[in-house]
Amino acid sequence: MSPLAFANEPAKASSEPEATLIEAGKLVDTVSGRVLENQMILVENGKIAAIGAKSEIEGMTLPDGVKRIDLSGYTVLPGLTDSHVHLIGNSNLHGYKSLSESTPSAAIYGTVNARKTLMAGFTTVRNVGAPGFADIDLMNAIDEGVITGPRMIPAGRSIGITGGHCDNNLLPYEDQKTSGGVADGPWAVRAKVRENNKYGAKVIKFCGTGGVLSKGTKIGAQQFSFEEMKAIVDEAHLLGLKVAVHAHGEEGINTAIRAGVDSVEHASFISDEGIAEAKTRGTYLSMDIYVSDYILSEGEEAGILEESLAKERTVGKKQRERFQAAVEAGANIAFGTDAGVYPHGDNGRQMKYMVKWGLTPMQALQAATINNAKLFGVEDMSGSLEAGKYADIIAVDGDPIADVSELEDVDFVMKGGVIYKAAE
């Protein structure tokens, strides 16, 4: 088990049985890429104790008082995961509207967003940036069983240059507003990595180029020099933390990959050379190819600036084309949605876009399960339905391999052996 995440398990509800036996009509094996029929899963103490054909499991000596769950009319899958979310905050507050939101208010919305995300079938998420380390507090509250939500891998404060995508550029000089993760120079960025680690971050996120939603940044322009990026990555890796870089532009992407990042977020203008280098180094590409539709259709009402809308009109289709190129080249594809830009709980909508732009339904599922588990460093406990792993299990009443949009409406959710959403 990775020491970086899932260090604590939430206390089980007192009414939850110690053992559960799930009968699955169909079961998606994300390791082999096959769909198995008439399978059973024995869950004990929050983990999968045994899994196999119905005849095999029923032939075992089962625990006394085992609770049986009939999902024979459903397709059963591992819990889904998302490599790029922002649970903290109100997704309806963008641009200047966001200035009205305090960190305590954003944290309160985080508790609601966490529940919506879990109920949508996403049992693990990587939260790539939050004010005031509020995402770390949210993780702790979930782990302690205080609130309901997915397993979290929080980044704490995003690291960025002065005036860059991870800074706050909405106020004039007189107000002197600078985001908590801003640093310039190799030693200064090392200090920010250390600070994030001190306060409980489980992954490091920095901004390597301008962004769509930040005022005054050029989307393709590199932010941080190679030396600064290398300092961030080296310090994080020394501390046992992986690194995600926000990067849209070609040069920023290439520089970050050379610096050794573990994943590139967005990767909108990644070149063929960048894709090849990512493939060689094993770098994951976390490309949020659904969010463009939301930004351009509903973003203005949520406060997204016209400057940002104009940037999205440029980046949206290009990102999808580059996603297709990355798929065709065989690069490592993660499932990351940027939930928080759009309302939480709609994470599953990205599945059909990934299929439209090159993946098979099974590959899209694998991106949201075993691929992300490998990226997160928790593949020994998550990403597939296997004995010894966490009992993070979902089910849908349709066939997601025939129609991946079935995953937009999940019928059953179990996390750590606890049922949070029962099939009707």
Side-chain angles (χ1 to χ4, degrees):
M1 174 177 167
S2 168
L4 306 182
F6 309 163
N8 301 308
E9 277 299 285
K12 292 177 66 176
S14 59
S15 60
E16 193 69 26
E18 287 298 308
T20 305
L21 186 64
I22 299 173
E23 181 176 352
K26 294 182 178 180
L27 185 146
V28 178
D29 181 348
T30 53
V31 176
S32 68
R34 296 186 300 143
V35 178
L36 308 176
E37 296 190 358
N38 299 317
Q39 301 288 297
M40 297 195 94
I41 308 169
L42 177 63
V43 175
E44 292 186 271
N45 300 315
K47 295 181 181 179
I48 297 174
I51 184 169
K54 183 177 179 179
S55 58
E56 175 187 347
I57 302 300
E58 288 193 325
M60 298 171 49
T61 301
L62 298 175
D64 293 337
V66 64
K67 177 182 178 180
R68 292 176 177 263
I69 299 175
D70 185 2
L71 295 178
S72 59
Y74 294 79
T75 301
V76 175
L77 314 92
L80 303 175
T81 68
D82 195 327
S83 62
H84 191 121
V85 305
H86 298 279
L87 290 178
I88 303 300
N90 183 346
S91 60
N92 291 318
L93 297 179
H94 292 286
Y96 287 103
K97 287 185 176 182
S98 67
L99 295 175
S100 67
E101 185 173 50
S102 67
T103 299
S105 174
I108 291 169
Y109 274 97
T111 65
V112 177
N113 298 334
R115 181 178 180 85
K116 288 181 179 178
T117 300
L118 180 60
M119 294 306 170
F122 286 79
T123 54
T124 300
V125 298
R126 193 173 63 164
N127 198 84
V128 284
F133 303 104
D135 56 344
I136 295 165
D137 289 330
L138 180 62
M139 173 193 70
N140 290 336
I142 292 170
D143 286 351
E144 291 164 10
V146 176
I147 61 173
T148 297
R151 304 177 192 278
M152 285 184 63
I153 301 173
R157 291 169 168 173
S158 298
I159 301 171
I161 67 168
T162 298
H165 179 67
C166 289
D167 200 356
N168 187 322
N169 302 328
L170 294 169
L171 292 170
Y173 169 78
E174 288 80 2
D175 291 300
Q176 292 288 300
K177 176 65 175 176
T178 300
S179 295
V182 169
D184 301 295
W187 284 108
V189 297
R190 281 183 182 270
K192 287 297 179 183
V193 173
R194 292 169 182 175
E195 183 180 47
N196 279 6
N197 180 64
K198 173 182 178 178
Y199 292 111
K202 304 302 181 187
V203 65
I204 296 298
K205 186 268 189 82
F206 75 91
C207 292
T209 74
V212 171
L213 300 184
S214 51
K215 185 176 184 291
T217 68
K218 296 180 177 64
I219 196 167
Q222 180 172 324
Q223 297 177 2
F224 285 128
S225 66
F226 172 77
E227 291 76 15
E228 290 169 311
M229 291 189 187
K230 192 72 165 59
I232 292 170
V233 172
D234 286 353
E235 190 65 37
H237 287 174
L238 280 174
L239 295 170
L241 302 177
K242 294 196 175 189
V243 181
V245 61
H246 158 104
H248 288 282
E250 179 180 343
E251 288 304 315
I253 292 169
N254 291 345
T255 304
I257 292 173
R258 286 194 294 112
V261 297
D262 298 285
S263 69
V264 179
E265 311 300 300
H266 312 300
S268 303
F269 299 120
I270 191 169
S271 63
D272 289 343
E273 293 75 17
I275 292 171
E277 186 70 10
K279 184 177 178 181
T280 297
R281 291 176 176 263
T283 311
Y284 281 79
L285 303 180
S286 176
M287 302 175 74
D288 50 334
I289 62 172
Y290 158 66
V291 72
S292 182
D293 280 22
Y294 174 82
I295 291 174
L296 295 179
S297 64
E298 302 180 52
E300 184 176 4
E301 184 177 349
I304 293 178
L305 305 177
E306 174 53 37
E307 171 190 331
S308 296
L309 296 173
K311 285 191 276 189
E312 186 58 44
R313 294 183 193 107
T314 300
V315 73
K317 185 177 180 184
K318 184 66 174 178
Q319 184 194 39
R320 293 172 183 183
E321 291 171 347
R322 297 318 298 162
F323 174 85
Q324 187 173 51
V327 169
E328 291 173 354
N332 288 334
I333 302 296
F335 183 94
T337 67
D338 215 357
V341 173
Y342 65 86
H344 294 277
D346 290 342
N347 312 58
R349 292 186 181 185
Q350 181 162 289
M351 288 285 183
K352 62 188 176 188
Y353 287 78
M354 296 176 84
V355 170
K356 179 179 179 180
W357 290 93
L359 293 181
T360 66
M362 181 62 76
Q363 288 171 331
L365 278 171
Q366 290 171 325
T369 52
I370 55 171
N371 289 14
N372 275 358
K374 291 174 183 176
L375 169 60
F376 300 164
V378 296
E379 65 268 30
D380 56 341
M381 296 305 295
S382 181
S384 59
L385 299 177
E386 297 179 85
K389 293 191 174 185
Y390 288 131
D392 295 349
I393 301 168
I394 66 170
V396 294
D397 61 5
D399 182 356
I401 303 304
D403 181 5
V404 78
S405 65
E406 290 286 343
L407 295 171
E408 295 176 23
D409 184 15
V410 171
D411 297 285
F412 174 88
V413 178
M414 170 184 280
K415 189 192 83 171
V418 178
I419 299 170
Y420 289 91
K421 188 177 187 179
E424 297 180 357

